[in-house]
Amino acid sequence: MTLQLNQQSVPGQDIKVTIKLPFGDSDLSGQSSSTTSAETGTKAKELSVSLIVPFENKEWLTAIDILAEAQDKTTGARTVYRVGHDAANAIKFYEAKFSGELTIRELEDTQGWQVGFMMKEHLSVPERKSQREPIKPAKQQGGGGDVVLDKKITDNPDIPPNTELSAVEKILSMANNAFGSVIGNDTEEGATSET
């Protein structure tokens, strides 16, 4: 099985690829023996590569190092590669960049170097989907039903903009505005008659 990055084959022998799909969750059991956990989403996939470079092919090490250290000329960030691997593409792992470390360990018995590196997914499918979806404003829960909004309710400074009130809240708001204007007029009249 070969591994390609931007349609360039990664040189090496005995290439082994491991793909991890981490699921985020937090333990909610506290001090109890409960198995309850809070799901915190699907995290970026990780592709770990292990391969052997024979001593006589040290230019392969140079090629792998160039791939690992490559940077975008405009941003200075590590290069994002298009991943060409059957298993990766089968689980929609299309783009990745080098992450963690590149390790090169000498092997005496096989007369070569054991090379290992990890790549982390860039712009996963769930991440792209969430970027396309508009953020919906929060909706307050209520009893439902169609109620015609009074101008006083929609212009009330105590109610945040774009807030949908339930039918009960709308009636209470209208009553509050009606009583407030009556009580407000009485206190104003009392204040002017005392002077």
Side-chain angles (χ1 to χ4, degrees):
M1 181 68 53
T2 62
L3 171 65
Q4 294 184 335
L5 301 177
N6 287 352
Q7 298 180 346
Q8 177 184 347
S9 291
V10 175
Q13 295 176 347
D14 199 25
I15 297 175
K16 303 286 186 223
V17 173
T18 305
I19 301 171
K20 291 193 302 186
L21 174 57
F23 296 104
D25 55 80
S26 299
D27 183 19
L28 296 178
S29 65
Q31 298 291 328
S32 72
S33 60
S34 174
T35 58
T36 306
S37 64
E39 296 177 5
T40 57
T42 303
K43 306 304 179 191
K45 297 175 182 93
E46 298 172 356
L47 182 134
S48 299
V49 180
S50 173
L51 56 91
I52 295 174
V53 174
F55 287 147
E56 63 269 9
N57 297 108
K58 62 183 177 183
E59 67 276 1
W60 291 1
L61 285 179
T62 305
I64 294 169
D65 180 60
I66 289 170
L67 289 170
E69 292 187 35
Q71 294 181 338
D72 185 294
K73 292 176 182 165
T74 56
T75 64
R78 284 191 299 272
T79 300
V80 175
Y81 291 99
R82 185 87 178 152
V83 177
H85 187 268
D86 291 342
N89 295 152
I91 61 167
K92 298 180 180 171
F93 186 154
Y94 300 121
E95 291 183 330
K97 59 183 174 179
F98 280 83
S99 178
E101 60 188 14
L102 169 68
T103 59
I104 302 170
R105 187 170 51 94
E106 192 172 312
L107 300 173
E108 293 297 327
D109 56 334
T110 58
Q111 297 296 306
W113 292 283
Q114 178 76 47
V115 178
F117 59 88
M118 187 180 82
M119 300 186 80
K120 200 167 238 181
E121 186 176 27
H122 177 75
L123 287 178
S124 65
V125 172
E127 186 178 2
R128 289 179 191 192
K129 183 179 177 185
S130 69
Q131 287 176 353
R132 286 192 301 260
E133 292 176 357
I135 297 173
K136 298 174 185 168
K139 198 174 185 183
Q140 293 186 357
Q141 295 180 352
D146 294 335
V147 175
V148 178
L149 288 179
D150 184 6
K151 180 85 171 134
K152 292 178 185 174
I153 295 174
T154 57
D155 293 340
N156 189 336
D158 296 329
I159 300 174
N162 299 328
T163 301
E164 292 183 25
L165 299 178
S166 69
V168 173
E169 290 171 324
K170 291 173 187 173
I171 292 169
L172 290 174
S173 180
M174 285 188 284
N176 185 39
N177 290 340
F179 287 127
S181 63
V182 170
I183 293 171
N185 289 341
D186 289 345
T187 56
E188 288 173 15
E189 290 172 7
T192 54
S193 64
E194 290 176 8
T195 56

